[in-house]
Amino acid sequence: MRTFMGLCLALVAAAAHANESASPAALVISHVTVIDATGAPPQADMSVIVKDQRIAELGKSGEVHAPVHAVIVNGRGRYLIPGLWDMHVHTVFGDWLPRDERVVLPLFVANGVTGVRDMGGELDVLKEWRAQIAAGRLLGPRMFIAGPMLDGPTPRFPSSAPVANAADGRRVVDDLKARGVDFIKIQSLIPRDGYFAAADEAKKLGLTFVGHVPDAIRASEASNAGQKSIEHFTGIFEGCSAIEEQLIKGPKSVGRNVSTYDPTRAKALIALMARNRTWQVPTLVWERGQWLVDDIDLSHDPLTKYAPAAWKDRTWPMFVRAILQDMDTDPLPVRQKFVQMELDMTLAMFRAGVPFMAGTDTAAGVHVFPGFSLHDELALFVRAGLTPMQALQTASGANSPTSCCSMPIRSMTSPIRAGSAQSCWRGGISTARRSTGCCRGWRKPQPSPRVPRGMEQRNDRR
């Protein structure tokens, strides 16, 4: 599937022009091929009319007439798709990811990412950004935010809330609810009693809880407790291990996951995830970069020019040092095998009916970029065995927060200001309104010379 970033940028420019007018003009995208991500075939030579930040009309170009004074974008030879959602990002994360709304947020939109699920960050800043975006004062995607992550008594990351026991778990959830978060994000070091208390309190308050499977919890326990999504396959391969009990109590490693993998246990766990509708957000682009960080040459990555200076000068080098010291301790061939096992797990779960959402962990680790890396994630889903349409559906339509995270529909359908190149489908396209946009062409992940074919590209988990 090919799409073109040029059309997305043209839409941003055209919408911005319309916004500057005294009386905002309609926007017409003509002669474009529409892919609505429902599984229907592409609709060639279509015209789409956007009025008042909503799609007002969709039809064959010869049958749809542009309103007077409309801004017209010629989409011939290009594609129009629903706006994409990146369901695992961090946009402002203490001094690790200082605020830089002038770069980070527009990059999402320029890549057709019109919605993000921020999985841990500075809550007051995120709420400020979200209000500015809604008011048309800031160019950026819709934001669904968790605020501080619930972690152990001594959190590993900034933007975290320490939890030492059950009372802490309930108190932190109550506080975050009062501060207006959309959902609760769980980290790896939270203790068992704190985890289950937080899960219970979140359910009482009507908050979805998602995130890591903590080190002290089994993936099966998290799924049965109602955790709505699991990130990075945390706990999954431990749950597929013949020595799961040892891994829960003692040290974990990729090597132990590989050597003790039990297909029978894996089949049972996958069936449980499908039965409980526990969504998976594997962040394959991040996983690949993490486990193969010493085998991928990114020194000439042209996307580096888009990274804020703080990422290049401080955050990324810090992550590389930590990954090499604490995580990538197994031999490279073992880690390469594990990366392939993650792709195999993705396909096995998908075929069994486990729901998936696309997420990147932007801007964790090294060379994971707002917007751009979501396209790499979709390409990795295809490499795992999904069709291009199935991969696209992990980032659009039914796989938005309305399905996974009980996000109020009003948050998904509120007017989007011109300049963000977003509108909501109306009429026969979908019964649920959703944002639309264009994404750039998928950038084929660049292989490292020493990585076997099919196992190329870029990941510390947050």
Side-chain angles (χ1 to χ4, degrees), residues 168-218:
D168 282 349
R170 293 187 185 278
R171 175 185 53 78
V172 171
V173 170
D174 290 344
D175 176 65
L176 292 177
K177 171 69 173 181
R179 295 180 63 192
V181 302
D182 295 310
F183 62 99
I184 298 297
K185 162 73 180 292
I186 300 293
Q187 257 293 342
S188 294
L189 300 182
I190 187 171
R192 284 182 65 86
D193 58 348
Y195 172 84
F196 287 112
D200 181 66
E201 192 70 9
K203 285 187 282 189
K204 287 180 180 178
L205 297 176
L207 284 174
T208 299
F209 73 101
V210 303
H212 294 200
V213 173
D215 292 347
I217 305 293
R218 292 174 174 82

Side-chain angles (χ1 to χ4, degrees), residues 170-445:
R170 293 187 185 278
R171 175 185 53 78
V172 171
V173 170
D174 290 344
D175 176 65
L176 292 177
K177 171 69 173 181
R179 295 180 63 192
V181 302
D182 295 310
F183 62 99
I184 298 297
K185 162 73 180 292
I186 300 293
Q187 257 293 342
S188 294
L189 300 182
I190 187 171
R192 284 182 65 86
D193 58 348
Y195 172 84
F196 287 112
D200 181 66
E201 192 70 9
K203 285 187 282 189
K204 287 180 180 178
L205 297 176
L207 284 174
T208 299
F209 73 101
V210 303
H212 294 200
V213 173
D215 292 347
I217 305 293
R218 292 174 174 82
S220 57
E221 292 178 307
S223 180
N224 286 330
Q227 183 167 322
K228 198 65 174 177
S229 74
I230 291 175
E231 317 299 309
H232 325 292
F233 284 144
T234 50
I236 295 298
F237 284 94
E238 289 82 358
C240 298
S241 170
I243 59 167
E244 181 182 17
E245 184 67 23
Q246 295 180 39
L247 296 176
I248 293 291
K249 295 180 178 179
K252 308 173 190 288
S253 74
V254 164
R256 301 186 84 188
N257 287 342
V258 170
S259 64
T260 64
Y261 182 81
D262 182 339
T264 301
R265 290 179 62 87
K267 184 177 180 180
L269 182 60
I270 290 171
L272 177 69
M273 297 290 160
R275 186 164 59 250
N276 288 345
R277 298 287 294 170
T278 306
W279 295 72
Q280 301 297 312
V281 187
T283 61
L284 297 171
V285 67
W286 164 231
E287 291 291 295
R288 181 173 295 270
Q290 170 184 297
W291 300 122
L292 305 180
V293 70
D294 56 341
D295 196 51
I296 300 173
D297 181 9
L298 296 171
S299 59
H300 303 294
D301 190 338
L303 295 183
T304 302
K305 63 186 177 183
Y306 295 110
W311 298 8
K312 293 182 288 187
D313 298 340
R314 183 179 186 276
T315 306
W316 286 351
M318 176 183 66
F319 271 114
V320 170
R321 289 192 299 269
I323 289 169
L324 291 174
Q325 178 179 334
D326 301 326
M327 304 190 74
D328 286 11
T329 55
D330 291 291
L332 177 62
V334 174
R335 289 181 275 127
Q336 290 174 337
K337 183 174 182 179
F338 183 70
V339 168
Q340 183 59 48
M341 288 174 66
E342 291 189 309
L343 295 178
D344 295 341
M345 177 62 71
T346 298
L347 183 59
M349 282 189 161
F350 185 84
R351 286 177 170 172
V354 178
F356 275 81
M357 296 183 296
T360 62
D361 213 0
T362 296
V366 185
H367 288 249
V368 181
F369 298 89
F372 294 100
S373 291
L374 185 64
H375 296 271
D376 293 339
E377 186 75 9
L378 300 185
L380 288 170
F381 274 123
V382 172
R383 184 171 299 168
L386 278 64
T387 68
M389 177 60 73
Q390 289 167 340
L392 179 61
Q393 289 172 333
T394 68
S396 62
N399 292 343
S400 68
T402 51
S403 296
C404 168
C405 299
S406 304
M407 185 178 182
I409 291 293
R410 59 176 172 78
S411 298
M412 293 288 292
T413 58
S414 58
I416 300 301
R417 304 295 177 180
S420 62
Q422 302 175 66
S423 301
C424 291
W425 287 111
R426 190 183 76 168
I429 298 298
S430 173
T431 55
R433 290 179 174 179
R434 29 183 209 199
S435 56
T436 67
C438 283
C439 71
R440 64 182 199 89
W442 287 356
R443 184 168 60 100
K444 182 179 180 181

